[in-house]
């Protein structure tokens, strides 16, 4: 039976690829998509999500609108490129009437909750709010697989990765809820670089969703080449979908991970106890490596 998954997104190009892969890979059943602020304001991330769902022929997947702002913090400023509307037709689809937080509570208290992996690939505001409203869902979520954090070095500040920095209080609530967590952080996504040649090969596949993914990947990769001089780009969120499809592609180490809330230089850091100094029990399976070749194969298998 396909693995059930709920994606929590702040769409963005890499969220779009993660969504198309989750919606079309035979190993997964994409139950719903919940949307949060993050890469851009909620109205942009919601509109982008609906564009991807409709153009990607996934209109049977319900979309729930979620948190418009972080719980405590001001939104983190983002690059105008990240905030851009995706180059896909304007959607005719509408989000569901129910809000993401209410949906998550209802769904996880329901019969399929314990069989459904929750995969936040943006700030973790929606689940944090749901946990505060209904703490019982912590026992109902079998695992969180998230793109967020880094155990060595951030990408938005020297300490913090964007998704965690965008709502550290939310991440604090989620990481301390007692739910099993697999963290796909920057050290993982940097090992799964996608090249322009990969995007071209993907564009040659015969499905509309592969062509959409190829175009979005091409744009993302080009940004890494132009701005950082890299040979490829990180399609961060797609690593999460691939790791839910095939958990073995990820190498993980159990660690205690705490979320820094107050440090003037380190706010939003996922403080990982790499060497076991902390006596607290590990709470996160921290991704430390990924099988890049298999990651690419999964991308092709899912989108063809
Ligand atoms: Ca994202």
């Amino acid at each position: 039976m396909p693995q059930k998954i709920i994606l929590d997104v702040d769409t963005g190009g890499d969220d779009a690829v993660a969504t198309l892969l989750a919606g079309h890979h035979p190993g997964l059943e994409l139950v719903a998509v919940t949307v949060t602020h993050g890469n851009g304001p909620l109205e942009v991330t919601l509109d982008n999500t609906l564009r991807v769902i409709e153009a990607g022929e996934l209109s049977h997947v319900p979309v729930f609108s979620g948190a418009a702002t972080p719980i405590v913090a001001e939104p983190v400023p983002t690059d105008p490129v990240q905030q851009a509307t995706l180059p896909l037709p304007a959607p005719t689809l509408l989000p569901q009437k129910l809000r993401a937080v209410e949906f998550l509570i209802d769904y996880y208290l329901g019969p399929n909750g314990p069989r459904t992996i929750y995969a936040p690939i943006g700030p973790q505001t929606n689940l944090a709010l749901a946990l505060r409203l209904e703490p019982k869902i912590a026992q109902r979520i079998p695992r969180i697989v998230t793109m967020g954090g880094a155990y060595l070095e951030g990408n938005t500040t020297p300490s913090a990765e964007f998704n965690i920095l965008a709502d550290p209080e939310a991440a604090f609530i989620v990481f301390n809820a007692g739910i099993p967590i697999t963290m796909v952080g920057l050290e993982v996504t940097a090992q799964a670089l996608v090249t322009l040649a990969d995007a071209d090969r993907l564009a040659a596949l015969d499905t509309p969703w592969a062509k959409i993914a190829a175009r979005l990947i091409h744009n993302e990769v080009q940004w890494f080449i132009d701005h950082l001089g890299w040979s490829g780009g990180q399609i961060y969120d797609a690593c999460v979908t691939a790791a839910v499809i095939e958990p073995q592609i990820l190498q993980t180490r159990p660690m205690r991970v705490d979320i820094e809330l107050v440090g003037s230089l380190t706010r939003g850091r996922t403080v990982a106890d790499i060497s076991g100094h902390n006596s607290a029990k590990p709470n996160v399976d921290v991704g430390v490596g990924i099988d890049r070749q298999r990651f690419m194969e999964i991308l092709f298998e899912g989108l063809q």
Side-chain angles (χ1 to χ4, degrees), residues 8-12 14-15 39 121-123 147 163 237:
D8 194 301
V9 303
D10 61 336
T11 314
D14 60 326
D15 302 75
N39 274 323
I121 53 179
M147 195 285 124
N163 284 343
D237 297 341

Side-chain angles (χ1 to χ4, degrees), residues 175-257:
F175 275 64
N176 286 290
I179 306 166
I181 299 178
T182 302
M183 182 174 121
V184 178
L186 297 175
E187 295 82 7
V188 169
T189 58
Q191 291 177 41
L193 290 191
V194 179
T195 64
L196 289 179
D198 294 324
D200 290 343
R201 283 196 299 132
L202 207 52
L205 294 181
D206 208 18
T207 61
W209 43 89
K211 293 189 193 306
I212 294 168
R215 191 144 53 100
L216 298 174
I217 289 173
H218 193 283
N219 293 348
E220 301 277 312
V221 171
Q222 193 66 53
W223 186 93
F224 280 88
I225 293 170
D226 294 345
H227 289 79
L228 305 176
W230 289 19
S231 58
Q234 304 191 58
I235 311 299
Y236 306 91
D237 297 341
C239 296
V240 163
T241 306
V244 175
I245 292 166
E246 201 169 302
Q248 308 88 289
I249 69 165
L250 215 57
Q251 292 139 15
T252 62
R253 277 178 52 194
M255 297 183 202
R256 175 71 209 177
V257 178

Side-chain angles (χ1 to χ4, degrees), residues 58-81:
L58 295 170
S59 299
H60 58 283
V61 178
V63 174
F64 296 88
S65 179
T69 66
I71 293 176
V72 176
E74 288 298 313
V76 173
T78 54
D79 191 311
V81 176

Side-chain angles (χ1 to χ4, degrees), residues 126-188:
N126 285 333
L127 181 60
L129 291 170
L131 283 164
R132 282 297 191 247
L133 266 176
E134 182 45 270
K136 281 199 209 86
I137 62 171
Q139 281 84 51
R140 306 280 298 171
I141 300 175
R143 180 165 289 272
I144 292 170
V145 183
T146 186
M147 195 285 124
Y151 61 90
L152 296 175
E153 190 183 4
N155 65 350
T156 308
T157 71
S159 281
E161 179 279 331
F162 175 81
N163 284 343
I164 305 295
L165 184 66
D167 195 346
E169 280 76 16
F172 181 94
I173 292 169
V174 170
F175 275 64
N176 286 290
I179 306 166
I181 299 178
T182 302
M183 182 174 121
V184 178
L186 297 175
E187 295 82 7
V188 169

